[in-house]
Amino acid sequence: MRRYDNFTLSQVGQPLPGVSVTVRVAATTPGTGALATIYSDDGVTVVAGSVRTTNNLGYFFLYAADGK
């Protein structure tokens, strides 16, 4: 299991709170891959819909299986 951390920023570099981040399997055409299986902790709790929401600083994290 691997943890992935990232954040969202506006075009002028301001954090974007409350943004829904949908995680998909990589595909040739961006945004067309199947929803990825992601977890809110170290491989125990599956995130429904593969969506994480950024916090007030635009930050989000997730867990995914190794090699995914």
PDB file of all heavy atoms in Angstrom, residues 37-68:
ATOM      1  N   THR A  37      -9.560   1.923  -7.348  1.00  0.00           N
ATOM      2  CA  THR A  37      -9.856   1.546  -5.970  1.00  0.00           C
ATOM      3  C   THR A  37      -8.863   2.265  -5.082  1.00  0.00           C
ATOM      4  O   THR A  37      -7.647   2.063  -5.204  1.00  0.00           O
ATOM      5  CB  THR A  37      -9.739   0.032  -5.768  1.00  0.00           C
ATOM      6  OG1 THR A  37     -10.659  -0.620  -6.650  1.00  0.00           O
ATOM      7  CG2 THR A  37     -10.042  -0.350  -4.332  1.00  0.00           C
ATOM      8  N   ILE A  38      -9.374   3.156  -4.238  1.00  0.00           N
ATOM      9  CA  ILE A  38      -8.513   3.891  -3.312  1.00  0.00           C
ATOM     10  C   ILE A  38      -9.030   3.686  -1.894  1.00  0.00           C
ATOM     11  O   ILE A  38     -10.174   3.265  -1.683  1.00  0.00           O
ATOM     12  CB  ILE A  38      -8.429   5.395  -3.653  1.00  0.00           C
ATOM     13  CG1 ILE A  38      -9.802   6.072  -3.553  1.00  0.00           C
ATOM     14  CG2 ILE A  38      -7.807   5.600  -5.033  1.00  0.00           C
ATOM     15  CD1 ILE A  38      -9.756   7.583  -3.687  1.00  0.00           C
ATOM     16  N   TYR A  39      -8.172   3.992  -0.941  1.00  0.00           N
ATOM     17  CA  TYR A  39      -8.480   3.752   0.462  1.00  0.00           C
ATOM     18  C   TYR A  39      -8.219   5.015   1.269  1.00  0.00           C
ATOM     19  O   TYR A  39      -7.353   5.813   0.927  1.00  0.00           O
ATOM     20  CB  TYR A  39      -7.605   2.617   0.998  1.00  0.00           C
ATOM     21  CG  TYR A  39      -7.748   1.347   0.214  1.00  0.00           C
ATOM     22  CD1 TYR A  39      -6.989   1.124  -0.928  1.00  0.00           C
ATOM     23  CD2 TYR A  39      -8.645   0.363   0.605  1.00  0.00           C
ATOM     24  CE1 TYR A  39      -7.127  -0.049  -1.669  1.00  0.00           C
ATOM     25  CE2 TYR A  39      -8.787  -0.808  -0.121  1.00  0.00           C
ATOM     26  CZ  TYR A  39      -8.028  -1.006  -1.256  1.00  0.00           C
ATOM     27  OH  TYR A  39      -8.167  -2.163  -1.980  1.00  0.00           O
ATOM     28  N   SER A  40      -8.963   5.167   2.369  1.00  0.00           N
ATOM     29  CA  SER A  40      -8.763   6.323   3.241  1.00  0.00           C
ATOM     30  C   SER A  40      -7.730   6.043   4.322  1.00  0.00           C
ATOM     31  O   SER A  40      -7.341   6.936   5.060  1.00  0.00           O
ATOM     32  CB  SER A  40     -10.084   6.735   3.894  1.00  0.00           C
ATOM     33  OG  SER A  40     -10.577   5.684   4.691  1.00  0.00           O
ATOM     34  N   ASP A  41      -7.298   4.792   4.403  1.00  0.00           N
ATOM     35  CA  ASP A  41      -6.272   4.401   5.365  1.00  0.00           C
ATOM     36  C   ASP A  41      -5.412   3.330   4.714  1.00  0.00           C
ATOM     37  O   ASP A  41      -5.534   3.089   3.523  1.00  0.00           O
ATOM     38  CB  ASP A  41      -6.906   3.930   6.677  1.00  0.00           C
ATOM     39  CG  ASP A  41      -8.052   2.953   6.436  1.00  0.00           C
ATOM     40  OD1 ASP A  41      -7.967   2.143   5.504  1.00  0.00           O
ATOM     41  OD2 ASP A  41      -9.045   3.032   7.167  1.00  0.00           O
ATOM     42  N   ASP A  42      -4.593   2.685   5.456  1.00  0.00           N
ATOM     43  CA  ASP A  42      -3.610   1.754   4.889  1.00  0.00           C
ATOM     44  C   ASP A  42      -4.230   0.429   4.449  1.00  0.00           C
ATOM     45  O   ASP A  42      -3.951  -0.619   5.011  1.00  0.00           O
ATOM     46  CB  ASP A  42      -2.480   1.527   5.883  1.00  0.00           C
ATOM     47  CG  ASP A  42      -1.239   0.945   5.232  1.00  0.00           C
ATOM     48  OD1 ASP A  42      -1.226   0.778   4.006  1.00  0.00           O
ATOM     49  OD2 ASP A  42      -0.285   0.645   5.968  1.00  0.00           O
ATOM     50  N   GLY A  43      -5.106   0.476   3.426  1.00  0.00           N
ATOM     51  CA  GLY A  43      -5.645  -0.726   2.818  1.00  0.00           C
ATOM     52  C   GLY A  43      -6.824  -1.354   3.521  1.00  0.00           C
ATOM     53  O   GLY A  43      -7.149  -2.501   3.280  1.00  0.00           O
ATOM     54  N   VAL A  44      -7.509  -0.600   4.367  1.00  0.00           N
ATOM     55  CA  VAL A  44      -8.628  -1.167   5.105  1.00  0.00           C
ATOM     56  C   VAL A  44      -9.972  -0.611   4.631  1.00  0.00           C
ATOM     57  O   VAL A  44     -10.892  -1.361   4.345  1.00  0.00           O
ATOM     58  CB  VAL A  44      -8.464  -0.917   6.624  1.00  0.00           C
ATOM     59  CG1 VAL A  44      -9.647  -1.453   7.391  1.00  0.00           C
ATOM     60  CG2 VAL A  44      -7.165  -1.538   7.129  1.00  0.00           C
ATOM     61  N   THR A  45     -10.090   0.709   4.512  1.00  0.00           N
ATOM     62  CA  THR A  45     -11.379   1.343   4.227  1.00  0.00           C
ATOM     63  C   THR A  45     -11.412   1.878   2.798  1.00  0.00           C
ATOM     64  O   THR A  45     -10.730   2.851   2.474  1.00  0.00           O
ATOM     65  CB  THR A  45     -11.635   2.497   5.213  1.00  0.00           C
ATOM     66  OG1 THR A  45     -11.489   2.006   6.549  1.00  0.00           O
ATOM     67  CG2 THR A  45     -13.026   3.067   5.028  1.00  0.00           C
ATOM     68  N   VAL A  46     -12.210   1.235   1.940  1.00  0.00           N
ATOM     69  CA  VAL A  46     -12.339   1.664   0.540  1.00  0.00           C
ATOM     70  C   VAL A  46     -13.133   2.964   0.497  1.00  0.00           C
ATOM     71  O   VAL A  46     -14.118   3.134   1.202  1.00  0.00           O
ATOM     72  CB  VAL A  46     -13.053   0.582  -0.298  1.00  0.00           C
ATOM     73  CG1 VAL A  46     -13.328   1.074  -1.711  1.00  0.00           C
ATOM     74  CG2 VAL A  46     -12.223  -0.692  -0.332  1.00  0.00           C
ATOM     75  N   VAL A  47     -12.694   3.900  -0.361  1.00  0.00           N
ATOM     76  CA  VAL A  47     -13.378   5.180  -0.542  1.00  0.00           C
ATOM     77  C   VAL A  47     -14.449   5.009  -1.618  1.00  0.00           C
ATOM     78  O   VAL A  47     -14.130   4.679  -2.765  1.00  0.00           O
ATOM     79  CB  VAL A  47     -12.385   6.296  -0.944  1.00  0.00           C
ATOM     80  CG1 VAL A  47     -13.109   7.587  -1.259  1.00  0.00           C
ATOM     81  CG2 VAL A  47     -11.347   6.494   0.145  1.00  0.00           C
ATOM     82  N   ALA A  48     -15.697   5.221  -1.258  1.00  0.00           N
ATOM     83  CA  ALA A  48     -16.809   5.082  -2.202  1.00  0.00           C
ATOM     84  C   ALA A  48     -16.673   6.087  -3.339  1.00  0.00           C
ATOM     85  O   ALA A  48     -16.400   7.260  -3.106  1.00  0.00           O
ATOM     86  CB  ALA A  48     -18.131   5.284  -1.484  1.00  0.00           C
ATOM     87  N   GLY A  49     -16.845   5.621  -4.565  1.00  0.00           N
ATOM     88  CA  GLY A  49     -16.799   6.495  -5.721  1.00  0.00           C
ATOM     89  C   GLY A  49     -15.410   6.988  -6.089  1.00  0.00           C
ATOM     90  O   GLY A  49     -15.254   7.779  -7.001  1.00  0.00           O
ATOM     91  N   SER A  50     -14.397   6.539  -5.371  1.00  0.00           N
ATOM     92  CA  SER A  50     -13.003   6.924  -5.635  1.00  0.00           C
ATOM     93  C   SER A  50     -12.814   8.439  -5.622  1.00  0.00           C
ATOM     94  O   SER A  50     -12.051   8.992  -6.402  1.00  0.00           O
ATOM     95  CB  SER A  50     -12.525   6.338  -6.964  1.00  0.00           C
ATOM     96  OG  SER A  50     -12.582   4.931  -6.915  1.00  0.00           O
ATOM     97  N   VAL A  51     -13.523   9.127  -4.731  1.00  0.00           N
ATOM     98  CA  VAL A  51     -13.455  10.587  -4.648  1.00  0.00           C
ATOM     99  C   VAL A  51     -12.941  11.019  -3.284  1.00  0.00           C
ATOM    100  O   VAL A  51     -13.395  10.532  -2.255  1.00  0.00           O
ATOM    101  CB  VAL A  51     -14.843  11.224  -4.894  1.00  0.00           C
ATOM    102  CG1 VAL A  51     -14.796  12.734  -4.695  1.00  0.00           C
ATOM    103  CG2 VAL A  51     -15.337  10.889  -6.286  1.00  0.00           C
ATOM    104  N   ARG A  52     -11.990  11.938  -3.302  1.00  0.00           N
ATOM    105  CA  ARG A  52     -11.500  12.592  -2.082  1.00  0.00           C
ATOM    106  C   ARG A  52     -11.848  14.072  -2.211  1.00  0.00           C
ATOM    107  O   ARG A  52     -11.932  14.606  -3.312  1.00  0.00           O
ATOM    108  CB  ARG A  52      -9.988  12.439  -1.936  1.00  0.00           C
ATOM    109  CG  ARG A  52      -9.502  11.011  -1.825  1.00  0.00           C
ATOM    110  CD  ARG A  52     -10.035  10.289  -0.641  1.00  0.00           C
ATOM    111  NE  ARG A  52      -9.402  10.793   0.571  1.00  0.00           N
ATOM    112  CZ  ARG A  52      -9.774  10.482   1.794  1.00  0.00           C
ATOM    113  NH1 ARG A  52     -10.777   9.676   1.989  1.00  0.00           N
ATOM    114  NH2 ARG A  52      -9.154  10.977   2.826  1.00  0.00           N
ATOM    115  N   THR A  53     -12.045  14.747  -1.088  1.00  0.00           N
ATOM    116  CA  THR A  53     -12.353  16.178  -1.087  1.00  0.00           C
ATOM    117  C   THR A  53     -11.230  16.924  -0.391  1.00  0.00           C
ATOM    118  O   THR A  53     -10.768  16.504   0.680  1.00  0.00           O
ATOM    119  CB  THR A  53     -13.689  16.441  -0.366  1.00  0.00           C
ATOM    120  OG1 THR A  53     -14.708  15.694  -1.032  1.00  0.00           O
ATOM    121  CG2 THR A  53     -14.053  17.916  -0.408  1.00  0.00           C
ATOM    122  N   THR A  54     -10.782  18.020  -1.002  1.00  0.00           N
ATOM    123  CA  THR A  54      -9.676  18.783  -0.421  1.00  0.00           C
ATOM    124  C   THR A  54     -10.118  19.499   0.859  1.00  0.00           C
ATOM    125  O   THR A  54     -11.274  19.866   1.011  1.00  0.00           O
ATOM    126  CB  THR A  54      -9.126  19.818  -1.418  1.00  0.00           C
ATOM    127  OG1 THR A  54     -10.165  20.740  -1.764  1.00  0.00           O
ATOM    128  CG2 THR A  54      -8.591  19.156  -2.675  1.00  0.00           C
ATOM    129  N   ASN A  55      -9.151  19.696   1.766  1.00  0.00           N
ATOM    130  CA  ASN A  55      -9.443  20.408   3.015  1.00  0.00           C
ATOM    131  C   ASN A  55      -9.350  21.918   2.784  1.00  0.00           C
ATOM    132  O   ASN A  55      -9.234  22.367   1.642  1.00  0.00           O
ATOM    133  CB  ASN A  55      -8.525  19.932   4.145  1.00  0.00           C
ATOM    134  CG  ASN A  55      -7.071  20.337   3.961  1.00  0.00           C
ATOM    135  OD1 ASN A  55      -6.722  21.119   3.088  1.00  0.00           O
ATOM    136  ND2 ASN A  55      -6.209  19.795   4.794  1.00  0.00           N
ATOM    137  N   ASN A  56      -9.375  22.704   3.859  1.00  0.00           N
ATOM    138  CA  ASN A  56      -9.370  24.170   3.726  1.00  0.00           C
ATOM    139  C   ASN A  56      -8.071  24.717   3.133  1.00  0.00           C
ATOM    140  O   ASN A  56      -8.020  25.865   2.717  1.00  0.00           O
ATOM    141  CB  ASN A  56      -9.657  24.838   5.071  1.00  0.00           C
ATOM    142  CG  ASN A  56      -8.613  24.516   6.108  1.00  0.00           C
ATOM    143  OD1 ASN A  56      -8.026  23.438   6.105  1.00  0.00           O
ATOM    144  ND2 ASN A  56      -8.392  25.437   7.020  1.00  0.00           N
ATOM    145  N   LEU A  57      -7.021  23.902   3.059  1.00  0.00           N
ATOM    146  CA  LEU A  57      -5.758  24.323   2.442  1.00  0.00           C
ATOM    147  C   LEU A  57      -5.568  23.712   1.050  1.00  0.00           C
ATOM    148  O   LEU A  57      -4.483  23.789   0.469  1.00  0.00           O
ATOM    149  CB  LEU A  57      -4.583  23.931   3.348  1.00  0.00           C
ATOM    150  CG  LEU A  57      -4.597  24.570   4.738  1.00  0.00           C
ATOM    151  CD1 LEU A  57      -3.462  24.006   5.588  1.00  0.00           C
ATOM    152  CD2 LEU A  57      -4.484  26.074   4.636  1.00  0.00           C
ATOM    153  N   GLY A  58      -6.619  23.065   0.530  1.00  0.00           N
ATOM    154  CA  GLY A  58      -6.541  22.455  -0.792  1.00  0.00           C
ATOM    155  C   GLY A  58      -5.834  21.113  -0.807  1.00  0.00           C
ATOM    156  O   GLY A  58      -5.570  20.546  -1.856  1.00  0.00           O
ATOM    157  N   TYR A  59      -5.557  20.549   0.364  1.00  0.00           N
ATOM    158  CA  TYR A  59      -4.789  19.303   0.505  1.00  0.00           C
ATOM    159  C   TYR A  59      -5.701  18.084   0.504  1.00  0.00           C
ATOM    160  O   TYR A  59      -6.813  18.116   1.032  1.00  0.00           O
ATOM    161  CB  TYR A  59      -4.006  19.369   1.826  1.00  0.00           C
ATOM    162  CG  TYR A  59      -3.376  18.077   2.251  1.00  0.00           C
ATOM    163  CD1 TYR A  59      -2.190  17.643   1.679  1.00  0.00           C
ATOM    164  CD2 TYR A  59      -3.957  17.284   3.230  1.00  0.00           C
ATOM    165  CE1 TYR A  59      -1.612  16.452   2.065  1.00  0.00           C
ATOM    166  CE2 TYR A  59      -3.383  16.096   3.624  1.00  0.00           C
ATOM    167  CZ  TYR A  59      -2.214  15.686   3.037  1.00  0.00           C
ATOM    168  OH  TYR A  59      -1.645  14.507   3.417  1.00  0.00           O
ATOM    169  N   PHE A  60      -5.215  16.980  -0.078  1.00  0.00           N
ATOM    170  CA  PHE A  60      -5.906  15.693   0.017  1.00  0.00           C
ATOM    171  C   PHE A  60      -4.869  14.575   0.007  1.00  0.00           C
ATOM    172  O   PHE A  60      -3.716  14.769  -0.372  1.00  0.00           O
ATOM    173  CB  PHE A  60      -6.899  15.497  -1.141  1.00  0.00           C
ATOM    174  CG  PHE A  60      -6.258  15.295  -2.486  1.00  0.00           C
ATOM    175  CD1 PHE A  60      -6.054  14.026  -2.987  1.00  0.00           C
ATOM    176  CD2 PHE A  60      -5.846  16.382  -3.259  1.00  0.00           C
ATOM    177  CE1 PHE A  60      -5.454  13.834  -4.240  1.00  0.00           C
ATOM    178  CE2 PHE A  60      -5.261  16.210  -4.497  1.00  0.00           C
ATOM    179  CZ  PHE A  60      -5.062  14.926  -4.982  1.00  0.00           C
ATOM    180  N   PHE A  61      -5.286  13.408   0.477  1.00  0.00           N
ATOM    181  CA  PHE A  61      -4.423  12.230   0.428  1.00  0.00           C
ATOM    182  C   PHE A  61      -5.282  10.995   0.206  1.00  0.00           C
ATOM    183  O   PHE A  61      -6.494  11.011   0.392  1.00  0.00           O
ATOM    184  CB  PHE A  61      -3.592  12.079   1.709  1.00  0.00           C
ATOM    185  CG  PHE A  61      -4.384  11.622   2.901  1.00  0.00           C
ATOM    186  CD1 PHE A  61      -4.479  10.283   3.200  1.00  0.00           C
ATOM    187  CD2 PHE A  61      -5.055  12.534   3.701  1.00  0.00           C
ATOM    188  CE1 PHE A  61      -5.229   9.848   4.289  1.00  0.00           C
ATOM    189  CE2 PHE A  61      -5.798  12.120   4.782  1.00  0.00           C
ATOM    190  CZ  PHE A  61      -5.887  10.771   5.082  1.00  0.00           C
ATOM    191  N   LEU A  62      -4.630   9.923  -0.216  1.00  0.00           N
ATOM    192  CA  LEU A  62      -5.305   8.643  -0.399  1.00  0.00           C
ATOM    193  C   LEU A  62      -4.252   7.539  -0.328  1.00  0.00           C
ATOM    194  O   LEU A  62      -3.054   7.802  -0.353  1.00  0.00           O
ATOM    195  CB  LEU A  62      -6.024   8.605  -1.749  1.00  0.00           C
ATOM    196  CG  LEU A  62      -5.170   8.831  -3.000  1.00  0.00           C
ATOM    197  CD1 LEU A  62      -4.712   7.508  -3.625  1.00  0.00           C
ATOM    198  CD2 LEU A  62      -5.932   9.663  -3.989  1.00  0.00           C
ATOM    199  N   TYR A  63      -4.733   6.333  -0.218  1.00  0.00           N
ATOM    200  CA  TYR A  63      -3.873   5.149  -0.290  1.00  0.00           C
ATOM    201  C   TYR A  63      -4.286   4.343  -1.508  1.00  0.00           C
ATOM    202  O   TYR A  63      -5.473   4.285  -1.839  1.00  0.00           O
ATOM    203  CB  TYR A  63      -4.024   4.283   0.955  1.00  0.00           C
ATOM    204  CG  TYR A  63      -3.393   4.864   2.197  1.00  0.00           C
ATOM    205  CD1 TYR A  63      -4.098   5.733   3.011  1.00  0.00           C
ATOM    206  CD2 TYR A  63      -2.085   4.530   2.536  1.00  0.00           C
ATOM    207  CE1 TYR A  63      -3.524   6.257   4.150  1.00  0.00           C
ATOM    208  CE2 TYR A  63      -1.499   5.051   3.676  1.00  0.00           C
ATOM    209  CZ  TYR A  63      -2.229   5.913   4.478  1.00  0.00           C
ATOM    210  OH  TYR A  63      -1.643   6.439   5.602  1.00  0.00           O
ATOM    211  N   ALA A  64      -3.306   3.724  -2.163  1.00  0.00           N
ATOM    212  CA  ALA A  64      -3.560   2.837  -3.300  1.00  0.00           C
ATOM    213  C   ALA A  64      -2.615   1.649  -3.205  1.00  0.00           C
ATOM    214  O   ALA A  64      -1.550   1.744  -2.583  1.00  0.00           O
ATOM    215  CB  ALA A  64      -3.349   3.570  -4.622  1.00  0.00           C
ATOM    216  N   ALA A  65      -3.010   0.550  -3.816  1.00  0.00           N
ATOM    217  CA  ALA A  65      -2.166  -0.640  -3.805  1.00  0.00           C
ATOM    218  C   ALA A  65      -0.844  -0.361  -4.511  1.00  0.00           C
ATOM    219  O   ALA A  65      -0.778   0.449  -5.434  1.00  0.00           O
ATOM    220  CB  ALA A  65      -2.890  -1.789  -4.487  1.00  0.00           C
ATOM    221  N   ASP A  66       0.218  -1.000  -4.060  1.00  0.00           N
ATOM    222  CA  ASP A  66       1.535  -0.848  -4.696  1.00  0.00           C
ATOM    223  C   ASP A  66       1.427  -1.118  -6.190  1.00  0.00           C
ATOM    224  O   ASP A  66       0.723  -2.028  -6.604  1.00  0.00           O
ATOM    225  CB  ASP A  66       2.544  -1.819  -4.083  1.00  0.00           C
ATOM    226  CG  ASP A  66       2.914  -1.448  -2.661  1.00  0.00           C
ATOM    227  OD1 ASP A  66       2.737  -0.280  -2.276  1.00  0.00           O
ATOM    228  OD2 ASP A  66       3.400  -2.330  -1.935  1.00  0.00           O
ATOM    229  N   GLY A  67       2.104  -0.305  -6.990  1.00  0.00           N
ATOM    230  CA  GLY A  67       2.139  -0.492  -8.433  1.00  0.00           C
ATOM    231  C   GLY A  67       0.905   0.015  -9.160  1.00  0.00           C
ATOM    232  O   GLY A  67       0.793  -0.163 -10.359  1.00  0.00           O
ATOM    233  N   LYS A  68       0.007   0.661  -8.453  1.00  0.00           N
ATOM    234  CA  LYS A  68      -1.223   1.174  -9.083  1.00  0.00           C
ATOM    235  C   LYS A  68      -1.145   2.656  -9.252  1.00  0.00           C
ATOM    236  O   LYS A  68      -0.519   3.362  -8.520  1.00  0.00           O
ATOM    237  CB  LYS A  68      -2.455   0.806  -8.253  1.00  0.00           C
ATOM    238  CG  LYS A  68      -2.651  -0.671  -8.075  1.00  0.00           C
ATOM    239  CD  LYS A  68      -2.991  -1.321  -9.382  1.00  0.00           C
ATOM    240  CE  LYS A  68      -3.195  -2.804  -9.215  1.00  0.00           C
ATOM    241  NZ  LYS A  68      -3.342  -3.518 -10.438  1.00  0.00           N
TER     242      LYS A  68
END
